[in-house]
């Protein structure tokens, strides 16, 4: 099958067909170009997506990636970044192996096609020229034959006419002979040109055109093969990156399988564990005995009806005495840091200190326990400065014990790394100094003395700093609740009360009688562990009076937070005894403080918020 023999008369159609083939090739090149642009755009979007969700350096978000689930997510982001790189490889390989190669080939194909069809047109023009010569020779031969025939007829007519002279007859005969000769010459010329044209025509249709069309056919077949090979390359470029993409996906699966929920749960414990012990059991308060208000460190747990609230840790909305509101916390913080004195045996202030006193407390007062907590390390120095991002104490005393231990341990580790770094630098300088001593031409050993002294001093400073933090760390580890059962029982109530009080001071959800309920979100409880307290600590309004009291004895308020009263004096009560043996009173708008509850007789207003009725 050859175009030269089968399509010898389809020159124009072949020209159109080959142009269509080039257009198809250019269309395919355009398709691959757009594919490469899509791959680049997709890779860029994947990289941007991966970068968008990467944790920001030196931010709180970076700390969250210690959990295995977050680490797996980070591994997924990294694998997606590599995944995007493979799409960039696809784009680069398609551009170099297909687009650039085919673009160059199209230019060569166009030149070859142009050359072949130029030769075809040249052959066509040559055969057309031969045909025109043949037609011209044929017409000239025909004309000469007709003129020779007319000249012969004229001669015969003149020869038959008796009236014509002999000279005229001879002239006619000569003219007939001339025309006859011209016809013979035209015949010979026409015959020669016809033979030449037939030869040219045979060569044109059996040699020139087949050769040209064969070249065009081969050119077209090479184009078809080339586009097929490009399509294979198109698929192979994708196939080459499939194993790497598969590894990326395998990496994501492996990261997902590395998630350890138990480890994450343990990290949550390490992150938020305070080190406090839960509160101990609440003791029963007997109100059946005729006495004044019982001074007990557990009175905070009483309900509105005066019945002891025995439920703790349940899901009801009853009061939880450790979760006191901020005003009560501030009262505890500003109350006298000592137990209240016993009331004098008589009305005279000079009574012996060991005289009768208010009902005996079965356990150590809450305020005393809280005061011990406040005066010992860790101590919350200033709630307002903590809220406003004030300076954190160097010993991290504003953190709960367990968190403080972690902070100190981290500080010790950082200092040890700094010491090691400085030690390595000192060793390097010492070695360099030894080299200078052995080879003075390399440098002056004395030039390193100052630097060596500075490094040595830095090491000493860092060691002293590390010893200081190690001492604090040892102190904290010694202060943490003992692991024995007896120590747990002894410290349970104190640790639970102080922990619950401090960590919930920023909460502002309370039941109608002013106590806290259990309806607090987990997020709020977590936030309460950090020194980020409520804005309402700033510029609090004065507490309203909830009743009045009458001084039974004279009390000299010599401690901070107390106020002096005279026997028989009537004052306003702004906060009742919370179980620590102190009542907060006010004399004027700007003079208030604490007096021992056993020194005054309290008359509470039933309609006042937070007031309770005692039987």
């Amino acid at each position: 099958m050859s175009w030269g023999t089968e399509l010898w008369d389809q020159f124009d159609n072949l020209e159109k067909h080959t142009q269509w083939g080039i257009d198809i090739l250019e269309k395919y090149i355009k398709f691959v170009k757009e594919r490469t642009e899509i791959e680049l755009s997709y890779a860029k979007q994947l990289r941007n997506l991966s970068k968008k969700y990467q944790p920001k350096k030196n931010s709180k978000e970076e700390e969250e990636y210690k959990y295995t689930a977050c680490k797996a997510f980070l591994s997924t982001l990294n694998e997606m970044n590599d995944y995007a790189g493979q799409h960039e490889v696809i784009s680069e390989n398609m551009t170099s192996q297909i687009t650039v190669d085919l673009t160059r080939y199209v230019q060569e194909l166009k030149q070859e096609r142009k050359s072949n069809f130029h030769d075809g047109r040249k052959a066509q023009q040559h055969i057309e020229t031969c045909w025109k010569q043949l037609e011209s020779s044929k017409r000239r031969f025909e004309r000469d034959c007709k003129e020779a025939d007319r000249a012969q007829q004229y001669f015969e007519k003149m020869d038959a006419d008796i009236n014509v002279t002999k000279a005229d007859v001879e002239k006619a005969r000569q003219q007939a002979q001339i025309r006859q000769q011209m016809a013979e010459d035209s015949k010979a010329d026409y015959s020669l040109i016809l033979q030449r044209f037939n030869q040219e025509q045979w060569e044109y249709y059996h040699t020139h055109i087949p050769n040209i069309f064969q070249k065009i056919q081969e050119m077209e077949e090479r184009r078809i093969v080339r586009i097929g090979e490009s399509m294979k390359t198109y698929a192979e470029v994708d196939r080459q990156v499939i194993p790497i993409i598969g590894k990326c996906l395998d990496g994501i699966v492996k990261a997902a399988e590395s998630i350890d929920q138990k480890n994450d749960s343990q990290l949550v414990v390490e992150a938020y564990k305070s080190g406090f012990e839960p509160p101990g059991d609440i003791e029963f308060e007997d109100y059946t005995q005729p006495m004044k208000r019982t001074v007990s460190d557990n009175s905070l747990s009483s309900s509105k009806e005066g019945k002891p609230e025995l439920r703790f840790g349940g899901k009801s909305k009853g009061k939880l005495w450790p979760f006191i509101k901020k005003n009560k916390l501030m009262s505890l913080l500003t109350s006298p840091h000592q137990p209240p004195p016993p009331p004098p045996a008589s009305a005279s202030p000079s009574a012996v200190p060991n005289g009768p006193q208010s009902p005996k407390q079965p356990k150590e007062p809450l305020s005393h326990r809280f005061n011990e907590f406040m005066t010992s390390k860790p101590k919350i120095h200033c709630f307002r400065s903590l809220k406003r991002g004030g300076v954190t104490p160097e010993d991290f005393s504003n953190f709960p014990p367990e968190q403080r231990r972690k902070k100190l341990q981290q500080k010790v580790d950082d200092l040890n790394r700094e010491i090691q770094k400085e030690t390595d630098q000192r060793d390097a300088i010492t070695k360099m100094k030894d080299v200078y001593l052995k080879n003075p031409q390399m440098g002056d050993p004395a030039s390193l003395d100052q630097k060596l002294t500075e490094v040595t001093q830095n090491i000493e400073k860092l060691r002293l700093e590390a010893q200081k933090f190690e001492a604090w760390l040892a102190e904290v580890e010694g202060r943490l609740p003992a692991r024995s059962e007896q120590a747990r029982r002894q410290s349970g109530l104190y640790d639970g009360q102080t922990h619950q009080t401090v960590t919930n001071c920023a909460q502002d959800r309370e039941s109608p009688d002013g106590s806290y309920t259990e309806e607090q979100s987990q997020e709020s409880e977590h936030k309460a562990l950090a020194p980020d307290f409520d804005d309402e600590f700033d510029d609090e309004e004065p507490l309203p009076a909830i009743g009045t009291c009458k001084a039974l004895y004279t009390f000299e308020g010599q401690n901070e937070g107390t106020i002096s009263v005279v026997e028989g004096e009537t004052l306003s009560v702004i906060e009742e005894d919370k179980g620590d043996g102190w009542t907060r009173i006010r004399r004027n708008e700007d003079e208030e403080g604490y007096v021992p509850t056993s020194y005054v007789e309290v008359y509470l207003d039933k309609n006042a918020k937070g007031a309770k009725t005692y039987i």
Side-chain angles (χ1 to χ4, degrees):
M1 180 184 65
S2 173
W3 287 6
T5 56
E6 303 290 340
L7 302 176
W8 61 270
D9 57 344
Q10 301 296 322
F11 186 89
D12 293 339
N13 287 332
L14 286 179
E15 187 176 19
K16 293 178 182 179
H17 177 77
T18 52
Q19 181 60 45
W20 171 83
I22 292 176
D23 293 341
I24 287 294
L25 191 57
E26 289 180 336
K27 183 184 293 186
Y28 180 74
I29 294 173
K30 185 178 180 182
F31 160 75
V32 176
K33 281 184 177 180
E34 292 184 1
R35 166 70 190 276
T36 58
E37 292 172 359
I38 290 173
E39 292 292 340
L40 282 178
S41 177
Y42 182 51
K44 183 179 180 181
Q45 291 178 12
L46 284 179
R47 289 191 183 277
N48 291 339
L49 181 65
S50 178
K51 183 179 179 181
K52 177 181 178 182
Y53 286 94
Q54 288 282 350
K56 297 180 178 60
K57 293 185 179 180
N58 302 323
S59 66
K60 184 178 179 181
E61 183 182 359
E62 191 175 17
E63 299 177 0
E64 298 174 355
Y65 281 81
K66 61 185 178 181
Y67 300 102
T68 57
C70 294
K71 288 180 180 178
F73 179 52
L74 184 60
S75 298
T76 300
L77 295 178
N78 294 333
E79 294 294 346
M80 289 305 298
N81 201 43
D82 296 340
Y83 186 92
Q86 298 310 308
H87 286 278
E88 291 176 346
V89 171
I90 291 175
S91 176
E92 293 173 0
N93 290 343
M94 285 188 175
T95 299
S96 60
Q97 299 179 23
I98 299 178
T99 305
V100 175
D101 192 33
L102 285 185
T103 302
R104 182 172 57 252
Y105 176 70
V106 165
Q107 298 302 322
E108 296 174 356
L109 191 65
K110 288 181 178 180
Q111 290 295 330
E112 183 179 359
R113 174 182 175 277
K114 181 179 179 181
S115 175
N116 290 331
F117 281 99
H118 176 73
D119 293 342
R121 288 192 181 88
K122 187 176 181 181
Q124 276 186 337
Q125 291 175 359
H126 177 70
I127 198 67
E128 288 176 358
T129 301
C130 292
W131 173 258
K132 290 179 180 178
Q133 290 177 355
L134 178 61
E135 288 293 322
S136 176
S137 172
K138 181 180 178 180
R139 286 193 296 271
R140 184 169 60 254
F141 172 59
E142 182 181 6
R143 184 178 64 252
D144 290 345
C145 287
K146 288 180 179 180
E147 289 179 355
D149 188 46
R150 284 195 298 269
Q152 183 65 26
Q153 291 177 3
Y154 181 74
F155 165 69
E156 291 176 356
K157 181 181 179 181
M158 292 293 289
D159 187 43
D161 190 354
I162 58 174
N163 297 322
V164 178
T165 62
K166 188 177 180 178
D168 292 334
V169 173
E170 185 62 24
K171 183 177 179 181
R173 186 181 64 81
Q174 292 179 355
Q175 188 66 28
Q177 289 178 353
I178 293 173
R179 292 294 180 187
Q180 187 66 32
Q181 185 62 41
M182 290 178 64
E184 291 295 332
D185 293 341
S186 297
K187 180 180 179 181
D189 186 53
Y190 170 67
S191 176
L192 180 63
I193 292 176
L194 179 61
Q195 291 178 0
R196 188 187 305 150
F197 173 78
N198 288 334
Q199 182 66 30
E200 291 289 342
Q201 180 176 260
W202 189 92
E203 291 179 355
Y204 174 78
Y205 287 112
H206 293 84
T207 303
H208 298 311
I209 288 298
N211 289 338
I212 293 173
F213 280 16
Q214 184 65 31
K215 292 179 181 179
I216 295 174
Q217 181 180 355
E218 292 174 356
M219 177 193 72
E220 183 67 11
E221 288 176 353
R222 287 197 307 271
R223 178 193 66 81
I224 296 172
V225 171
R226 195 61 173 270
I227 196 171
E229 291 175 350
S230 299
M231 289 179 179
K232 288 182 180 179
T233 305
Y234 179 88
E236 286 299 323
V237 167
D238 259 344
R239 195 189 305 276
Q240 288 172 0
V241 301
I242 287 178
I244 303 178
I245 291 178
K247 290 182 179 179
C248 295
L249 299 178
D250 291 341
I252 295 175
V253 173
K254 185 177 180 181
E257 293 175 350
S258 68
I259 295 176
D260 186 355
Q261 68 275 11
K262 298 296 183 182
N263 182 72
D264 287 1
S265 298
Q266 182 61 32
L267 291 176
V268 173
V269 172
E270 294 176 1
Y272 299 112
K273 183 180 179 181
S274 66
F276 291 116
E277 291 288 338
D281 295 339
I282 301 174
E283 296 189 3
F284 176 76
E285 298 183 28
D286 191 357
Y287 289 96
T288 59
Q289 298 179 3
M291 59 179 67
K292 294 185 179 180
R293 298 178 61 248
T294 301
V295 181
S296 172
D297 60 344
N298 291 322
S299 62
L300 288 170
S301 63
S302 58
S303 60
K304 288 184 178 181
E305 295 78 7
K307 297 181 180 180
E309 182 66 45
L310 298 178
R311 292 175 298 175
F312 179 77
K315 296 186 178 181
S316 63
K317 295 185 179 180
K319 297 180 296 180
L320 295 180
W321 59 268
F323 297 86
I324 59 175
K325 56 189 288 188
K326 57 180 177 296
N327 290 336
K328 297 180 181 179
L329 176 63
M330 294 304 293
S331 301
L332 289 173
L333 294 179
T334 57
S335 62
H337 293 184
Q338 63 178 4
S346 63
S348 173
S350 62
V352 291
N354 296 326
Q357 59 183 21
S358 57
K360 184 177 180 181
Q361 299 179 1
K363 296 188 72 176
E364 193 177 9
L366 174 63
S367 64
H368 183 56
R369 289 178 175 270
F370 195 80
N371 292 333
E372 286 182 354
F373 171 72
M374 291 300 298
T375 55
S376 63
K377 294 181 180 180
K379 178 179 178 181
I380 300 180
H381 295 276
C382 179
F383 285 105
R384 187 169 300 175
S385 65
L386 289 174
K387 182 193 88 61
R388 293 178 177 175
V391 179
T392 303
E394 187 181 12
D395 59 354
F396 304 105
S397 57
N398 59 320
F399 286 89
E402 183 66 24
Q403 300 301 317
R404 184 187 180 201
R405 183 192 65 77
K406 289 178 60 179
K407 290 287 185 181
L408 290 173
Q409 184 65 54
Q410 182 180 359
K411 186 67 176 179
V412 169
D413 294 341
D414 293 342
L415 288 172
N416 288 334
R417 282 193 292 270
E418 289 293 328
I419 291 173
Q420 185 61 41
K421 182 179 178 181
E422 293 291 333
T423 303
D424 294 342
Q425 186 175 359
R426 182 189 62 185
D427 295 343
I429 296 175
T430 303
K431 291 181 180 179
M432 186 178 295
K433 185 176 180 180
D434 293 341
V435 172
Y436 287 176
L437 289 173
K438 295 178 181 178
N439 301 285
Q441 66 274 11
M442 297 183 65
D444 183 13
S447 62
L448 301 175
D449 291 341
Q450 183 179 359
K451 182 64 176 177
L452 186 61
T453 303
E454 292 178 359
V455 173
T456 305
Q457 292 175 353
N458 290 339
I459 293 175
E460 188 63 26
K461 290 179 182 179
L462 290 172
R463 284 178 177 172
L464 292 175
E465 190 78 5
Q467 291 175 3
K468 178 174 63 175
F469 280 94
E470 286 173 355
W472 283 333
L473 179 60
E475 178 186 358
V476 172
E477 290 176 346
R479 280 177 171 269
L480 286 176
R483 292 297 176 260
S484 64
E485 235 5 78
Q486 182 179 0
R488 289 177 184 273
R489 288 195 298 268
Q490 291 176 352
S491 62
L493 177 62
Y494 162 64
D495 291 335
Q497 289 175 344
T498 54
H499 175 225
Q500 299 289 359
T501 301
V502 173
T503 57
N504 291 278
C505 64
Q507 305 293 334
D508 195 21
R509 298 181 56 178
E510 51 183 314
S511 56
D513 65 340
S515 64
Y516 279 76
T517 66
E518 292 184 49
E519 291 181 297
Q520 298 179 358
S521 65
Q522 184 178 1
E523 181 181 357
S524 300
E525 292 178 7
H526 287 175
K527 290 182 179 178
L529 291 173
D532 189 11
F533 298 93
D534 193 7
D535 289 339
E536 296 185 15
F537 279 107
D538 298 337
D539 303 328
E540 283 193 32
E541 296 182 358
L543 295 174
I546 61 174
T548 59
C549 69
K550 180 180 180 181
L552 301 177
Y553 314 102
T554 298
F555 174 72
E556 297 293 338
Q558 298 178 353
N559 295 325
E560 182 182 359
T562 62
I563 185 174
S564 300
V565 295
V566 181
E567 180 181 354
E569 185 179 5
T570 302
L571 306 100
S572 300
V573 178
I574 58 176
E575 190 172 338
E576 61 177 324
D577 185 355
K578 300 303 179 185
D580 55 0
W582 295 91
T583 300
R584 191 175 181 182
I585 64 173
R586 180 188 296 139
R587 177 178 287 110
N588 298 319
E589 292 297 329
D590 55 352
E591 187 178 1
E592 62 181 45
Y594 286 86
V595 295
T597 304
S598 56
Y599 276 62
V600 294
E601 185 176 359
V602 179
Y603 308 96
L604 295 180
D605 184 0
K606 296 181 180 180
N607 297 325
K609 180 180 178 182
K612 299 178 181 179
T613 304
Y614 294 90
I615 302 175

